[in-house]
Amino acid sequence: MSDLLLLGLIGGLTLLLLMTLLAFVGYSGLLAEVSVSAGSPPIRNITMAYKFHVGPYSDTGQLFTESCSISPKLRSIAVYYDNPHTIPPGKCRCAVGSILSEGEEPPSPELIQLYQKYGFKIFSFPAPSHVVTATFPYTTTLSIWLAARQVHPALDTYIKERKLCAHPRLEIYQQDQIHFVCPLARQGDFYVPEVKETERKCRGLGESCDPQTDGTEADVMSDSSSLSLEASPGSRETSATTLSPGVSSSRGWEDGDNRSEHSYSESGASGSSFEELDLEGEGPFLGEPRPSPEAKPLGATRQPSTSEKGEE
């Protein structure tokens, strides 16, 4: 009788453990519906403190930890420039850090100096007029892992089906949500100087770089990109070695499926303009509506006229 009671107790505890795990995974967003849309951006123009990373995206956790530990109240941000499904992990590039300010108000000099002290650089992004965007619950650390495997494939499918030119890919951690943003215009303004420098070096050496070296990025990026603020002398050599743990230490992109066939700036090289979309977003999630710029995004295709079709 005691043996049956013991087996029943073990079975009950096992069932309780499984139910707890299922509840935790569900709370983290396993069953969350991913809705991708095109419309107004969830952010306005921002200034960020960042560190540039070349290598597997799963190794960027320490950068999130550093930036979050310096000022835990600030929102974390990551800008991914390469598709980890097609680009070798060791050559994938991204910028990771914290949002120092949003909108017209500049960040405080003290905050800039604090981040520069730990080797971070400062860069400003404009507010794109139109973006492809999605959100995912951010309730636990597991939410990051689930988002990487649910949101990115959905974004890839949406962009590919509509033949859009949408890059780079931003992740913004806002309270209890992760915002995924892919600009449809002014994409070059979102490329930090280190990305442009790697492209110039490759062109100067006459080499064929895997990420975006077919001239697509060079066409996208313009000289009118936002200027980064200069770091104080010696800030590049200063490392953050005494920071406490912060966010998750793994992004987990490399195991994702259903990626587009090209790197992000190449996926929409022959894509359509955002003006052809039925814009679903009624307004930004976090900022004010922004007026549309005069310039159209790259990747727009001209439809042949009736006479041209007849000649063909």
Side-chain angles (χ1 to χ4, degrees), residues 72-216:
K73 294 183 179 180
L74 296 180
R75 290 168 290 171
S76 297
I77 182 174
V79 187
Y80 299 101
Y81 298 106
D82 299 306
N83 188 333
H85 187 64
T86 58
I87 301 301
K91 295 185 178 181
C92 288
R93 301 163 298 178
C94 66
V96 177
S98 299
I99 297 178
L100 303 183
S101 66
E102 180 180 358
E104 302 302 325
E105 184 177 356
S108 66
E110 294 79 9
L111 191 59
I112 291 178
Q113 293 176 3
L114 178 61
Y115 272 88
Q116 288 178 339
K117 176 182 177 181
Y118 291 101
F120 284 80
K121 298 181 181 180
I122 311 301
F123 192 75
S124 295
F125 293 159
S129 58
H130 293 85
V131 299
V132 175
T133 183
T135 59
F136 194 84
Y138 183 34
T139 53
T140 69
T141 302
L142 182 61
S143 300
I144 302 173
W145 188 88
L146 293 173
R149 283 151 183 79
Q150 296 185 41
V151 179
H152 289 292
L155 288 171
D156 292 336
T157 300
Y158 186 94
I159 293 171
K160 185 176 181 180
E161 287 179 349
R162 291 160 178 77
K163 299 181 180 179
L164 297 174
C165 179
H167 64 91
R169 192 160 293 185
L170 285 72
E171 290 183 6
I172 301 170
Y173 294 80
Q174 169 74 14
Q175 296 179 353
D176 58 350
Q177 283 189 323
I178 305 175
H179 293 266
F180 296 80
V181 181
C182 305
L184 288 168
R186 302 183 66 179
Q187 293 99 331
D189 289 338
F190 292 83
Y191 283 77
V192 297
E194 290 86 345
V195 177
K196 302 179 182 182
E197 183 63 27
T198 58
E199 295 302 322
R200 284 195 293 266
K201 288 182 179 180
C202 290
R203 289 194 296 267
L205 296 175
E207 297 178 352
S208 177
C209 297
D210 290 328
Q212 306 141 348
T213 55
D214 60 346
T216 306

Side-chain angles (χ1 to χ4, degrees), residues 55-79:
Y57 289 155
S58 59
D59 294 344
T60 59
Q62 179 61 29
L63 298 183
F64 281 94
T65 300
E66 291 184 17
S67 62
C68 185
S69 298
I70 294 174
S71 184
K73 294 183 179 180
L74 296 180
R75 290 168 290 171
S76 297
I77 182 174
V79 187

